[in-house]
Amino acid sequence: MARELPAVARQIGPVAAGLGVLGLASFAFLSVCGRALGPAELAPLATLWVLINALGPALFQPLEQEIGRSVAHRSASGDGARPVFLRACLLAVGAVGLAGVVLLVARRPLADGVFHGQQVMVLGLFLGLAGLCAEHLSRGAFAGGGAFPRYGTQLAVDGVLRIGSAAALTVIGVATGGWYGLCLGLAPALAVLLTARRLGPAVHPGPHASWGEIGHAVGWLTAGALASQFVVNAAPIAVNVLAAPDEQARAGIFISVLVLARIPLFLFAAIQASFLPGMAALAAAGDTAGYRRRLMLVTAAVSALGAAGLVVLLGVGPWLVRLVYGPDFVTTRGDLWPLAAASGLFMVGSAISQALISIRGYRSSVAGWASGAAVFLVVLTLPLRLELRVGFAFLAASAVAVLVLLLAMRLKLHRPLAVDPAALETQLTDRKDSSWT
């Protein structure tokens, strides 16, 4: 396992630095907005923040994952991945267009039900989704080609744009959430414009990629991403929807607390960015021993990260919340610990899910997250105080998902690592064609 550490560190380091900037900037963004707007006015903006960071990965991280996996797999065989990348871009454009139509049609009920009547937040949501689409496409190319410094740079630029815009609005005295929402939505697109240039093997010519191959993978990945994003992001939506009119300030505080409890997830994203392509390369090489070692190393690392986050919030959580958001944001350790524990378990589940995806275990990943999503809805019906009901639903959902994913991974490891049948067939066809020339 010690031999894996240098390679993993080289991959994780640049992404971790970029995510550190993005994470700090994101929390600074919410902190600045919370002080400028207050708990009640912050609630729709914080909900927009959650939705952008939930729907964006749910819709477009599957494309990043498949691009990263395919580029790494093909690079291990000396091939480029332009056919895969171009088809993924077409799928992404279609998804953004469809999302735009849905948001346009549903803008009024969505604004009334989720954003306290502010339709400008719906526009911010669309801008954020379009920007995250471009980010995930370029990050898939960066990760698959091993360009992790560029991956980290894009993350950092996104973060600087977020906090920079919030600080500027605060200085000029803007006290309504809509302008902050628009700036939040524009930041990802601007980050791509400033960082996405040379994409490496993703745009190099390579073997043909059929729509069936891409569609099958992306379809299952999207189902799994939607279920996993439901598990990790349903809590703030649920508390906002379930809160009575006199509980809106409590909903804003809960969402702010949840964002703080999920700080370790930003750090885990650094591991996740390099983990899937690395595992796909090991699977392509048939290195079962190396695959097992890296899986154990990363699982142990994210478990330790989650435990550290839980200890910190149990120790100084309520004080930290007031420090970050202001004296009006009062909470208790009883509200904090389920959110911190659930975030830690979600990270473990995500690591195992990524390993399953690297060997095309798409159905197993979907089964794990779908089980967690179902449990969330069941626990949400318990007759508890609002914050505890939603917090325990998140905790139970993460725990069940981890259990199902662990069982699936154990079954997979009892058999030889899966080989990409479509890629293998393509390579064999290309070799056969070249033998006739």
Side-chain angles (χ1 to χ4, degrees):
M1 187 177 296
R3 292 180 297 175
E4 297 291 323
L5 287 173
V8 173
R10 285 194 301 271
Q11 296 171 351
I12 291 175
V15 181
L19 278 167
V21 175
L22 176 61
L24 289 173
S26 295
F27 293 115
F29 174 88
L30 290 175
S31 176
V32 169
C33 294
R35 293 176 181 276
L37 303 175
E41 183 70 18
L42 178 66
L45 179 62
T47 302
L48 174 65
W49 187 92
V50 170
L51 282 174
I52 288 175
N53 290 287
L55 293 177
L59 293 173
F60 306 119
Q61 193 172 57
L63 295 172
E64 176 183 335
Q65 290 172 330
E66 184 58 16
I67 291 170
R69 189 200 65 79
S70 297
V71 171
H73 193 284
R74 291 181 177 223
S75 294
S77 305
D79 296 319
R82 183 191 296 170
V84 175
F85 185 70
L86 291 178
R87 293 190 186 278
C89 288
L90 290 174
L91 287 174
V93 170
V96 170
L98 180 60
V101 172
V102 171
L103 291 176
L104 179 63
V105 172
R107 65 189 185 281
R108 289 183 179 176
L110 183 61
D112 293 339
V114 178
F115 297 125
H116 298 183
Q118 300 184 45
Q119 291 190 34
V120 68
M121 294 293 187
V122 181
L123 176 58
L125 177 58
F126 173 74
L127 294 173
L129 292 180
L132 281 180
C133 171
E135 283 192 336
H136 282 293
L137 289 172
S138 56
R139 290 174 191 172
F142 294 153
F148 294 106
R150 303 192 56 152
Y151 196 119
T153 299
Q154 186 181 99
L155 293 166
V157 170
D158 188 351
V160 170
L161 291 171
R162 294 187 190 197
I163 184 56
S165 63
L169 290 173
T170 302
V171 167
I172 63 177
V174 176
T176 55
W179 285 106
Y180 293 89
L182 289 177
C183 290
L184 177 64
L186 283 170
L190 294 175
V192 172
L193 290 176
L194 293 172
T195 60
R197 293 182 296 277
R198 300 175 301 277
L199 297 178
V203 294
H204 293 168
H208 173 72
S210 68
W211 280 112
E213 176 188 350
I214 301 297
H216 172 81
V218 172
W220 281 107
L221 286 169
T222 300
L226 287 170
S228 68
Q229 289 301 314
F230 180 90
V231 169
V232 75
N233 288 303
I237 306 302
V239 79
N240 214 16
V241 171
L242 295 175
D246 60 345
E247 295 177 321
Q248 291 301 319
R250 285 172 57 189
I253 293 172
F254 179 88
I255 295 171
S256 303
V257 169
L258 177 61
V259 169
L260 197 62
R262 286 168 41 172
I263 287 178
L265 293 179
F266 279 89
L267 302 177
F268 168 70
I271 300 173
Q272 181 173 282
S274 60
F275 183 50
L276 176 55
M279 295 294 277
L282 291 171
D287 187 357
T288 303
Y291 187 94
R292 288 175 176 268
R293 284 196 303 270
R294 187 165 296 191
L295 176 60
M296 291 177 61
L297 173 65
V298 171
T299 303
V302 298
S303 299
L305 182 60
L310 177 59
V311 169
V312 169
L313 285 184
L314 283 175
V316 297
W319 169 82
L320 190 60
V321 170
R322 292 193 299 274
L323 175 67
V324 172
Y325 296 108
D328 294 334
F329 289 75
V330 179
T331 187
T332 67
R333 289 180 176 83
D335 291 342
L336 279 168
W337 80 261
L339 302 177
S343 297
L345 286 171
F346 180 83
M347 287 191 295
V348 175
S350 295
I352 301 168
S353 176
Q354 295 288 295
L356 287 168
I357 290 169
S358 72
I359 52 177
R360 299 177 70 86
Y362 305 130
R363 292 179 178 85
S364 299
S365 177
V366 172
W369 294 120
S371 299
V375 168
F376 181 94
L377 295 174
V378 171
V379 177
L380 203 61
T381 63
L382 294 178
L384 298 172
R385 181 165 54 87
L386 178 64
E387 291 88 344
L388 287 181
R389 190 192 339 170
V390 179
F392 282 132
F394 181 22
L395 177 59
S398 298
V400 169
V402 167
L403 178 61
V404 175
L405 291 166
L406 274 173
L407 291 174
M409 191 75 250
R410 184 173 181 179
L411 291 174
K412 291 285 186 181
L413 289 177
H414 283 313
R415 299 191 293 269
L417 293 179
V419 177
D420 185 337
L424 179 60
E425 180 181 354
T426 300
Q427 292 174 15
L428 291 175
T429 301
D430 290 345
R431 290 172 186 169
K432 185 183 295 183
D433 292 341
S434 65
S435 65
W436 289 94
T437 60

